[in-house]
Amino acid sequence: MARAASVAMALAVARRRTVSMLGEAMKLPAANQIDRRLIGGSLRFGVGWGIAGFCPGPGLVGMGLFEWLERRGRT
């Protein structure tokens, strides 16, 4: 829960800024409509997390690591 709150606070701060820390213009998404792609991606993310038990991004990295360890004979 603390991570979600920190992300929300970071987004609130980012919305107020006009320039990034590197001096570039801030580019935040302007879309605010729920469409078919958003629903599909959300479902995929949630189902993947529910089945595997962890976030899909690190899961993909973990699968690559497991394959690498398997090739080296360490599993």
Side-chain angles (χ1 to χ4, degrees), residues 1 6 10-11 13 32-33 36 38 42 48 50 55 63 65 72:
M1 189 66 176
S6 65
L11 283 174
V13 169
N32 58 3
Q33 294 182 351
R36 198 178 299 206
L38 178 64
S42 300
C55 183
M63 286 189 326
L65 178 64
R72 295 192 62 176

Side-chain angles (χ1 to χ4, degrees), residues 5-75:
S6 65
V7 168
M9 288 183 349
L11 283 174
V13 169
R15 285 190 179 138
R16 288 189 207 136
R17 296 181 59 113
T18 57
V19 179
S20 73
M21 295 176 116
L22 299 175
E24 307 249 344
M26 293 292 285
K27 297 177 185 173
L28 295 175
N32 58 3
Q33 294 182 351
I34 297 175
D35 60 357
R36 198 178 299 206
R37 288 182 61 201
L38 178 64
I39 299 293
S42 300
L43 285 172
R44 247 185 244 140
F45 182 85
V47 168
W49 196 319
I51 289 173
F54 47 87
C55 183
L60 292 173
V61 173
M63 286 189 326
L65 178 64
F66 179 73
E67 183 177 315
W68 179 76
L69 289 174
E70 189 175 61
R71 288 183 186 167
R72 295 192 62 176
R74 293 189 178 192
T75 59

